């Protein structure tokens, strides 16, 4: 590891030599004895997330139920200091009929008939604006103004500008409200298979009012594209303020102007690839983007050709996540490779120190070829064995919380992955995976053991399905449904036995809880649809907004970041001057804690920006 070189006159970044305890992947039977039971889990301290939305009836108000609320908690709603409800509200939404559009609201819990401590200023409502004629079912928006980076010209003379891309959320300043961390991609961003220079990647942080907190410039030695920069936003040290973690290189400049490594180094080759030079992992402070610690990235690229090609495609396939591998506190998960060799590393940022906890390497001499080539273009994190500690579901293989291989289905690489309680009639979680090669196109398996629940063949002789989704979208079938496209995937909606229960939906992309029932809706491009047996019903068409990542057509982010347990959708405006947050105004009789307080869902929101974005799933079934 090497220390950061900082800008003139700036304090030194913290560098801590990793206390390395490296384990190699082995079969589950050879893994060490389980660790002691986890301590009390570290959780985010969220406020009520009150949202005020103007509708034709007045103001629609929704707010968070928190896991800390006592059973039977009700709520009083105050508009400008005046209580608007006659009796305590037992749900987490309310329509204040005839109220002025500019009203501010505060929610106070009521327990056993007694109103609790007065809410703080941080609990005051955020106002949303009702959308115009682009909506089927009511919705509202809030715009977050952006500051577009200046474009530039590559060494080969190509001009480029910038597009707002993937986003993450975290409480960067400790006030109980999320801020947005946004990746800016140049218009010449490349897939790893494509040669050519790219512009620099920028990472910004914004308050919901549009105040920019900082900008990180990853510099010329980080290439731009969906597989290169995976960033994590999470409170790793438990101080109530989230950090931002990502791969960095010579010339990366922090939000406070610190320069990592050499400011003058240029490691790009004539094809635009970066196959030499140091690689770092950096923890940035969320409040100002300052460097807190930098270490050498694990694993190093080594011999480029050993990853499957000699020009730099497979060596620079990165994934990232966040996992409670000790059951009580979150760890940083950084990974490299999935087509051939896969290396996954868990890091801890605690007490001002960045230390490496473990490393899984499919190239370990004890593994042979068992674990090679099983990774996806995405990962998931879940406690699959119900021991209180998280595992890493890395496509067709699952890595235990201690860094040892748990199992692999040996079905190989795929483009989409879903983990959740999809079959509530059976115990535990399930994994739905699709596969590019081999004779199996898709499968549903037990998340703990890898035992198959059902499979569908790829009998086309060509590449397998390119998209696949799992989610409860149809009330006529118990639990979740499954569907995929391409590679001979069935032209049908499937149940947990692999049987047909209906027509295939109109999209195979994202999901969102939007209306008031327990079923999830279809999110694709800039629209939301409700699945129906004869056809899908349009609920929302975003106006003046665009989706990201080409044919993947993903939003910047979709998550339960405000209001009740339903999810918001964040798209960029088509001119890239704003992020537009859409929130539903449908009432719901379902009252439950914020999805962000379910650990599996929360870490899924953190990894949502990783490579081929996937929707977050909680650890339980809603229904």
């Amino acid at each position: 590891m090497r220390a950061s070189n900082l800008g003139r006159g700036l304090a030194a970044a913290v560098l801590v030599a990793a206390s390395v305890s490296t384990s190699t992947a082995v079969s589950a039977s050879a893994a060490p004895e389980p660790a002691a039971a986890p301590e009390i889990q570290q959780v985010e301290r969220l406020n009520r997330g009150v949202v005020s939305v103007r509708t034709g009836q007045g103001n629609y108000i929704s707010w968070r139920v928190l896991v800390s609320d006592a059973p039977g908690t009700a709520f009083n709603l105050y508009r400008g200091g005046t209580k608007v409800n006659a009796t305590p509200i037992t749900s987490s939404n309310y329509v204040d009929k005839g109220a002025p559009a500019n009203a501010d609201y505060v929610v106070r819990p009521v327990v056993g008939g007694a109103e609790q401590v007065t809410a703080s200023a941080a609990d005051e409502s955020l106002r949303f604006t009702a959308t115009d004629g682009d909506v089927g079912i009511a919705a509202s928006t809030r715009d977050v103004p952006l500051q577009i980076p200046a474009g530039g010209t590559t060494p080969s003379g190509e001009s480029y500008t910038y597009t707002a891309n993937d986003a993450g959320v975290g409480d960067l300043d400790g006030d109980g409200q999320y801020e947005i961390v946004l990746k800016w991609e140049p218009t010449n961003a490349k897939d790893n298979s494509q040669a050519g220079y790219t512009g620099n990647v920028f990472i910004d942080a914004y308050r919901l009012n549009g105040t920019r907190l900082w900008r990180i410039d990853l510099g010329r030695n980080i290439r731009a594209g969906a597989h290169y920069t995976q960033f994590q936003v999470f409170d790793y040290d438990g101080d109530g303020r989230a950090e931002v973690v990502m791969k960095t290189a010579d010339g990366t400049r922090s939000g406070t102007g610190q320069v990592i490594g050499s400011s003058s180094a240029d490691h790009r080759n004539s094809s635009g690839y970066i196959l030499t030079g140091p690689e770092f992992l950096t923890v940035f402070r969320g409040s100002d983007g300052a460097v807190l610690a930098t270490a050498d990235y694990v694993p190093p690229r080594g011999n480029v050709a050993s990853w499957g090609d000699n020009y730099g495609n497979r060596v620079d396939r990165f994934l990232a996540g966040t996992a409670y591998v000790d059951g009580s506190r979150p760890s940083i998960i950084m990974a490299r490779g999935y087509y051939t060799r896969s290396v996954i590393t868990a890091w801890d940022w605690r007490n001002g120190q960045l230390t490496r906890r473990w490393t899984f390497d499919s190239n370990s001499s004890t593994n042979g070829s068992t674990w090679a080539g099983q990774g996806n273009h995405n990962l998931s994190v879940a406690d699959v064995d119900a021991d209180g500690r998280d595992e890493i579901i890395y496509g067709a293989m699952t890595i235990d919380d201690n860094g040892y291989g748990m199992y692999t289905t040996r079905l190989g690489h795929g483009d989409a992955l879903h983990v959740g309680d999809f079959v509530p009639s059976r115990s535990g979680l399930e994994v739905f995976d699709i596969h590019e090669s081999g004779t199996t196109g898709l499968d549903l398996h037990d998340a703990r053991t890898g035992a198959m629940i059902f499979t569908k063949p790829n009998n086309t002789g060509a590449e397998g399905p390119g998209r696949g989704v799992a989610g409860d979208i149809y009330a006529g079938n118990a639990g979740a449904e499954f569907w995929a496209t391409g590679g001979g995937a069935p032209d049908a909606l499937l149940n947990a036995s692999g049987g047909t229960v209906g027509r295939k939906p109109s999209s195979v992309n994202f999901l969102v809880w939007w209306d008031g029932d327990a079923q999830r809706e279809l999110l694709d491009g800039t629209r939301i649809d409700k699945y129906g047996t004869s056809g899908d019903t349009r609920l929302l068409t975003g106006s003046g907004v665009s989706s990201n990542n080409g044919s993947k057509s993903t939003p910047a982010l979709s998550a339960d970041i405000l209001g009740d347990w339903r999810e918001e959708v964040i798209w960029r405006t088509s001119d890239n001057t704003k992020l537009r947050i859409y929130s539903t105004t449908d009432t719901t009789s379902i009252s439950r804690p914020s999805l962000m307080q379910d650990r599996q869902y929360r870490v899924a929101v953190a990894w949502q920006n990783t490579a081929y974005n996937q929707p977050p799933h909680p650890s339980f079934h809603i229904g």
Side-chain angles (χ1 to χ4, degrees), residues 343-615:
V343 183
I344 307 164
T345 302
W347 299 81
D348 292 338
W349 169 248
R350 297 174 188 174
N351 303 315
Q353 296 186 336
L354 179 61
T355 58
R356 182 152 56 105
R357 175 180 283 267
W358 52 251
T359 295
F360 168 94
D361 190 339
S362 66
N363 263 16
S364 165
S365 60
T366 62
N367 298 324
S369 61
T370 302
W371 304 89
Q374 302 305 307
N376 273 26
H377 284 301
N378 31 66
L379 54 70
S380 189
V381 175
D383 177 11
V384 304
D385 54 4
D387 66 352
R389 297 180 292 272
D390 288 339
E391 282 70 46
I392 315 303
I393 302 91
Y394 204 77
M397 66 181 181
T398 293
I399 309 306
D400 207 348
D401 54 75
N402 55 15
Y404 286 76
M406 192 177 219
Y407 66 82
T408 173
T409 67
R410 294 295 301 156
L411 294 178
H413 167 76
D415 284 6
L417 176 69
H418 301 264
V419 182
D421 185 10
F422 299 136
V423 191
S425 61
R426 65 184 303 278
S427 63
L429 304 174
E430 294 79 36
V431 177
F432 180 66
D433 197 9
I434 61 174
H435 308 283
E436 279 190 356
S437 59
T439 58
T440 299
L442 56 91
D443 80 272
L444 180 70
H445 64 262
D446 183 278
R448 179 172 187 161
T449 66
M452 289 296 149
I453 300 172
F454 78 78
T455 64
K456 294 294 179 181
N458 171 19
N459 50 21
T460 66
E463 189 173 286
R467 298 283 195 283
V469 184
D472 182 7
I473 63 168
Y474 175 41
N477 173 67
E481 294 76 49
F482 312 88
W483 68 105
T485 186
D491 187 23
L493 189 68
L494 307 176
N495 63 17
S497 300
T500 297
V501 292
R503 48 169 286 277
K504 186 183 291 187
S506 59
S507 67
V508 187
N509 195 351
F510 246 62
L511 298 169
V512 61
W513 275 291
W514 188 256
D515 62 10
D517 62 28
Q519 279 65 53
R520 227 165 177 185
E521 281 65 59
L522 306 169
L523 170 57
D524 183 53
T526 58
R527 67 182 190 268
I528 296 173
D529 293 319
K530 184 76 172 176
Y531 177 79
T533 54
S534 59
D536 298 336
T537 301
R538 180 61 43 85
L539 302 186
L540 171 71
T541 302
S543 177
V545 295
S546 296
S547 59
N548 292 335
N549 304 316
S551 63
K552 306 299 182 292
S553 300
T554 57
L557 185 76
S558 182
D560 174 22
I561 63 170
L562 292 164
D564 62 31
W565 60 273
R566 270 103 40 98
E567 295 168 299
E568 283 67 46
V569 182
I570 305 177
W571 285 295
R572 62 182 173 93
T573 57
S574 299
D575 61 4
N576 293 294
T577 62
K578 304 176 187 71
L579 290 177
R580 182 160 294 160
I581 307 173
Y582 279 79
S583 185
T584 185
T585 57
D586 267 11
T587 58
T588 179
S589 60
I590 300 174
S591 182
R592 58 151 294 101
S594 167
L595 295 180
M596 293 293 261
Q597 292 195 301
D598 175 71
R599 188 171 86 189
Q600 180 176 320
Y601 182 92
R602 180 64 186 91
V603 298
V605 172
W607 58 243
Q608 187 182 138
N609 70 72
T610 294
Y612 289 180
N613 311 45
Q614 301 286 282

Side-chain angles (χ1 to χ4, degrees), residues 57-136:
Q57 294 180 299
N59 293 332
Y60 170 84
I61 318 299
S62 77
W63 57 90
R64 291 186 184 112
V65 175
L66 302 173
V67 294
S68 58
D69 288 333
T73 295
F75 301 94
N76 286 333
L77 179 64
Y78 288 82
R79 180 202 331 124
T82 301
K83 189 169 75 169
V84 300
N85 54 294
T87 59
I89 304 164
T90 56
S91 67
S92 55
N93 54 81
Y94 185 89
V95 178
D96 189 12
K97 297 181 179 179
N102 61 350
D104 289 321
Y105 293 87
V106 169
V107 170
R108 299 175 185 170
V110 178
V111 179
E115 187 174 279
Q116 303 302 292
V117 177
T118 301
S120 67
D123 279 331
E124 291 181 357
S125 58
L126 288 171
R127 291 190 206 126
F128 275 57
T129 303
T131 51
D132 296 323
D134 61 339
V135 179

